[in-house]
Amino acid sequence: MFSSYDGLCGIGELAERAGVSVKTVRFYSDSGLLPEASRTAGGHRRYGPDSLARLRLIRSLRAMDLPVPSVRRILDEEDTAGRAGGALEDAVAGQLRTLGTQLRALRWREAALRLVQECAPDERADRLRLVGAVTAPPNTAPMARFWRAWLPPRMPARSVTAFLDVAVPQPPEDPGTAQVLAFARLYAFVDRPCGGTEPTQPHAHRAAGARDSAVLYAGLAQAYALAAERMRAGSEPHQGEALDGFVEAYASAGGITDTPNFRRELARRLAADPRIDRYWELTAELISPPDGSPEPTPGSAHDWLLDALNTQQGIALPAQRPGRARS
């Protein structure tokens, strides 16, 4: 309760009691957050007994960087229901999401700065150019565009989304310098057109219709997941469930029976398909854990399965595949 004869107080007294400036009180009043009880004949603002508690609540909400519209919704809800409920919860949740994004951006900027700082002087200009092209936090939309252009044009949207979920790597929340460099190089890789005059898509893409492409990629996803389990266990490419599912995906998409002749032809055809090794190499660098153990990617799983198919057909394996990755 204020000590004045009418139980009200002026703007200066209210500001002093709340520990804010008169300008701040005037701003909140003009914004409709802090109603005035009355005005004197001379036009001076007067505030009621509840104004101090309301002003302190406003200051607390604003101290959490909640925007004025959010503060207004919280106050309106408190005026109506007698307490802050859903509006406060929504505002706090939204602010936490915003802060999470900001913190993630700061961690990426810090790692990028360390990357430039720690590299050799003659490499700094190139590193700065690479990391400077990437937003913080990093945006994976260029990777998604790259794959949308590469996938069969009639592939159903649901199948495209499922493929992008595994083909587009999500940057780590707290990256190391090597991961920042891998992402920057990956960003630069997808930001330029696939090169040359050779076709950039596998043979299966050019022949697949909407249903066939959905069948193909659903089957490949299962085969890649099985192969990844074997790869994490350190198994060399071999026959089994993963290889059978891999072959069946191509056979089902083409309406063909899985036979020894089909497997020989498939091995020949896959060996001639174009490759996107560099994408999968960089993806593995980006998503692999700090202990250095390589995490399988769809590309490296494809290579493992193709090696298993070649072994079954008695075909000599390549001496070395970069990153064991394939488009």
Side-chain angles (χ1 to χ4, degrees):
M1 178 70 67
F2 300 121
S3 59
S4 60
Y5 71 93
D6 58 358
L8 304 179
C9 77
I11 191 171
E13 182 183 353
L14 179 61
E16 182 178 1
R17 289 201 180 197
V20 299
S21 67
V22 169
K23 182 180 180 181
T24 297
V25 178
R26 185 177 296 114
F27 171 76
Y28 291 148
S29 292
D30 292 342
S31 300
L33 301 179
L34 185 67
E36 306 159 14
S38 63
R39 289 209 180 195
T40 66
H44 297 293
R45 305 170 195 245
R46 303 286 288 173
Y47 295 91
D50 296 334
S51 296
L52 180 58
R54 188 179 182 92
L55 179 55
R56 285 172 174 165
L57 174 60
I58 294 171
R59 189 178 67 170
S60 296
L61 295 170
R62 290 290 289 153
M64 293 190 293
D65 284 336
L66 296 182
V68 169
S70 295
V71 173
R72 180 176 290 109
R73 285 192 292 271
I74 294 168
L75 295 174
D76 288 346
E77 185 176 68
E78 189 172 70
D79 292 340
T80 302
R83 63 183 180 85
L88 177 59
E89 292 176 7
D90 292 345
V92 170
Q95 191 64 11
L96 285 172
R97 287 192 296 271
T98 299
L99 284 174
T101 300
Q102 292 172 349
L103 289 171
R104 188 176 173 217
L106 288 173
R107 287 192 289 267
W108 272 83
R109 290 193 184 107
E110 180 185 25
L113 288 170
R114 291 190 184 281
L115 175 66
V116 175
Q117 181 186 52
E118 294 170 2
C119 70
D122 59 346
E123 294 179 346
R124 283 181 183 150
D126 182 59
R127 294 285 172 88
L128 186 61
R129 176 184 58 79
L130 276 171
V131 300
V134 179
T135 60
N139 184 359
T140 59
M143 290 74 166
R145 286 195 299 270
F146 173 84
W147 286 115
R148 287 182 186 279
W150 183 85
L151 289 168
R154 295 173 295 279
M155 191 166 170
R158 181 180 300 179
S159 299
V160 171
T161 300
F163 177 85
L164 294 179
D165 285 343
V166 296
V168 176
Q170 294 305 308
E173 295 288 333
D174 190 7
T177 55
Q179 290 171 312
V180 169
L181 181 59
F183 187 90
R185 285 172 169 165
L186 189 59
Y187 187 96
F189 177 82
V190 301
D191 199 40
R192 65 177 188 271
C194 290
T197 58
E198 294 299 318
T200 59
Q201 294 180 317
H203 174 81
H205 290 194
R206 300 191 291 277
R211 177 192 171 280
D212 294 339
S213 61
V215 169
L216 173 62
Y217 277 90
L220 289 178
Q222 295 177 6
Y224 292 162
L226 290 171
E229 293 178 6
R230 310 294 188 272
M231 294 169 70
R232 292 188 187 97
S235 298
E236 291 297 317
H238 61 271
Q239 301 179 46
E241 183 182 4
L243 177 58
D244 290 343
F246 179 68
V247 174
E248 180 60 27
Y250 286 99
S252 296
I256 301 170
T257 302
D258 178 5
T259 65
N261 284 338
F262 173 74
R263 293 198 174 206
R264 281 193 293 273
E265 174 59 23
L266 179 62
R268 184 197 63 77
R269 178 157 54 85
L270 291 179
D273 274 343
R275 303 175 63 87
I276 311 178
D277 291 322
R278 187 58 175 155
Y279 182 94
W280 297 119
E281 290 171 18
L282 293 170
T283 296
E285 292 176 20
L286 181 63
I287 67 175
S288 293
D291 63 10
S293 56
E295 178 63 17
T297 66
S300 60
H302 186 109
D303 265 357
W304 190 95
L305 290 162
L306 180 55
D307 285 351
L309 179 61
N310 286 334
T311 299
Q312 184 187 56
Q313 303 305 312
I315 300 173
L317 301 182
Q320 182 178 3
R321 284 201 179 110
R324 293 189 60 81
R326 186 175 184 83
S327 63

